[in-house]
């Protein structure tokens, strides 16, 4: 008796057996897939999500950004869902922007910008030095020694805190401005901080506004990441 004849003689029983075997195989595959998925997601939580959450409790720094980037490259990160991956990428980009922030350096940049602003207000060109290329003036630049002003401002700001010693810092910075103005531009007397106090200059600067925006974006990216179901 051939297989077909044998099958046909017990068609209902054999069909039931065949269907049972197929369903059993499918159910086994589904169960295996579920366990595989859960295992990968658990590894993702342990290797990527939880370490990132712990890092986000620390202050922003370049070192922490580097660690964050390394964690995001972990093998299990491939099991992130589309939305999760997008929020992690947004977090990395926003974190990178604020990871190099240094309050003293930023304040020094702001004060340099204010010095330039005061020169312009008094009819002085901050960049009077012509730079030539092949006999043609291509742009103008600061006098060479002015480039040291930012460094000197940083030294001053490390010695006195604008928040706790505003008057002392203001006098020190104004004195530095006068010296640089005399050595590189004019000996005419220019009044500094007569329009804005040192505190106002540091708070209202466009440079400060840009950094505030970066920190706001980093805060939002952090909050959006922590709202993910897998992060709870």
């Amino acid at each position: 008796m051939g297989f077909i004849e044998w099958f046909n003689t017990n068609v209902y029983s054999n069909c039931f057996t065949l269907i049972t075997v197929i369903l059993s195989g499918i159910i086994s595959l589904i169960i295996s897939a579920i366990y595989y998925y859960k295992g990968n997601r658990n590894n993702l939580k342990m290797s990527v999500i939880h370490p990132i959450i712990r890092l986000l409790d620390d202050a922003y720094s370049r070192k922490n950004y580097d660690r964050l980037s390394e964690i995001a490259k972990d093998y299990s990160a491939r099991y992130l869902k589309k939305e999760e991956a997008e929020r992690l990428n947004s977090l990395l980009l926003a974190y990178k922007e604020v990871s190099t922030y240094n309050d003293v350096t930023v304040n020094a940049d702001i004060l340099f910008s204010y010095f330039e602003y005061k020169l312009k207000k008094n009819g002085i060109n901050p960049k009077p030095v012509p730079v030539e290329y092949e006999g043609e003036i291509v742009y103008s630049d600061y006098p060479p020694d002015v480039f040291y002003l930012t460094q000197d401002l940083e030294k001053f700001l490390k010695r006195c805190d604008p928040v706790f010693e505003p008057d002392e810092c203001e006098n020190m910075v104004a004195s530095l401005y006068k010296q640089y103005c005399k050595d590189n531009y004019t000996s005419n007397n220019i009044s500094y901080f007569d329009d804005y106090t040192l505190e106002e200059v540091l708070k209202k600067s466009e440079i400060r506004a840009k950094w505030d925006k970066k920190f706001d974006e980093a805060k939002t990216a952090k909050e959006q990441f922590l709202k993910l179901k897998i992060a709870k």
Side-chain angles (χ1 to χ4, degrees):
M1 180 185 294
F3 173 78
I4 295 176
E5 288 182 71
W6 171 82
F7 187 86
N8 288 335
T9 57
N10 300 280
V11 63
Y12 294 111
S13 176
N14 290 334
C15 283
F16 178 78
T17 301
L18 181 61
I19 291 171
T20 301
V21 171
I22 293 173
L23 286 176
S24 177
I26 293 173
I27 292 171
S28 295
L29 288 173
I30 292 173
I31 293 173
S32 296
I34 290 172
Y35 276 103
Y36 181 74
Y37 173 79
K38 285 186 175 181
N40 289 334
R41 295 289 285 180
N42 285 334
N43 287 335
L44 174 63
K45 282 185 178 181
M46 298 303 296
S47 301
V48 177
I49 304 300
H50 288 170
I52 287 177
I53 292 174
R54 287 194 293 271
L55 265 182
L56 293 179
D57 287 333
D58 295 340
Y60 297 115
S61 70
R62 186 67 191 186
K63 180 180 179 181
N64 281 344
Y65 169 72
D66 291 338
R67 291 173 63 192
L68 196 63
S69 297
E70 284 302 313
I71 292 171
K73 294 175 184 177
D74 188 89
Y75 179 85
S76 58
R78 66 178 57 196
Y79 301 113
L80 286 165
K81 296 178 181 179
K82 182 180 179 182
E83 182 184 12
E84 294 167 350
E86 288 175 350
R87 292 196 189 183
L88 176 55
N89 287 333
S90 296
L91 176 64
L92 287 170
L93 290 172
Y95 198 108
K96 182 179 181 180
E97 287 296 310
V98 298
S99 65
T100 57
Y101 177 82
N102 180 284
D103 198 53
V104 170
T105 300
V106 171
N107 284 341
D109 289 340
I110 292 172
L111 292 175
F112 181 92
S113 178
Y114 177 71
F115 176 66
E116 187 176 32
Y117 159 79
K118 292 298 289 186
L119 291 177
K120 291 178 180 178
K121 289 287 287 185
N122 284 270
I124 299 170
N125 178 12
K127 299 180 179 181
V129 181
V131 178
E132 295 186 4
Y133 178 74
E134 295 184 350
E136 294 185 6
I137 298 176
V138 290
Y139 66 93
S140 296
D141 207 349
Y142 300 103
D145 289 345
V146 173
F147 289 103
Y148 296 107
L149 175 57
T150 302
Q151 296 177 22
D152 286 338
L153 286 168
E154 287 187 18
K155 292 177 183 177
F156 273 37
L157 292 171
K158 288 177 181 177
R159 284 160 46 192
C160 87
D161 191 321
V163 176
F164 298 104
E165 304 170 289
D167 293 336
E168 183 180 348
C169 282
E170 190 172 294
N171 291 332
M172 290 173 63
V173 172
S175 176
L176 188 62
Y177 284 161
K178 290 176 182 178
Q179 188 62 50
Y180 267 86
C181 185
K182 180 180 177 181
D183 293 343
N184 296 278
Y185 296 104
T186 179
S187 57
N188 293 341
N189 185 46
I190 294 178
S191 297
Y192 301 99
F193 304 113
D194 57 334
D195 46 1
Y196 303 102
T197 65
L198 175 63
E199 183 180 7
E200 289 173 332
V201 169
L202 295 177
K203 284 185 177 180
K204 296 181 178 181
S205 167
E206 290 183 6
I207 295 174
R208 176 64 59 193
K210 289 179 180 178
W211 276 107
D212 287 344
K213 183 180 179 181
K214 289 181 180 181
F215 276 102
D216 287 341
E217 290 173 348
K219 180 182 178 183
T220 299
K222 175 182 175 180
E223 291 173 348
Q224 290 300 311
F225 180 81
L226 294 176
K227 283 181 180 180
L228 288 169
K229 185 176 180 181
I230 195 172
K232 295 178 180 179

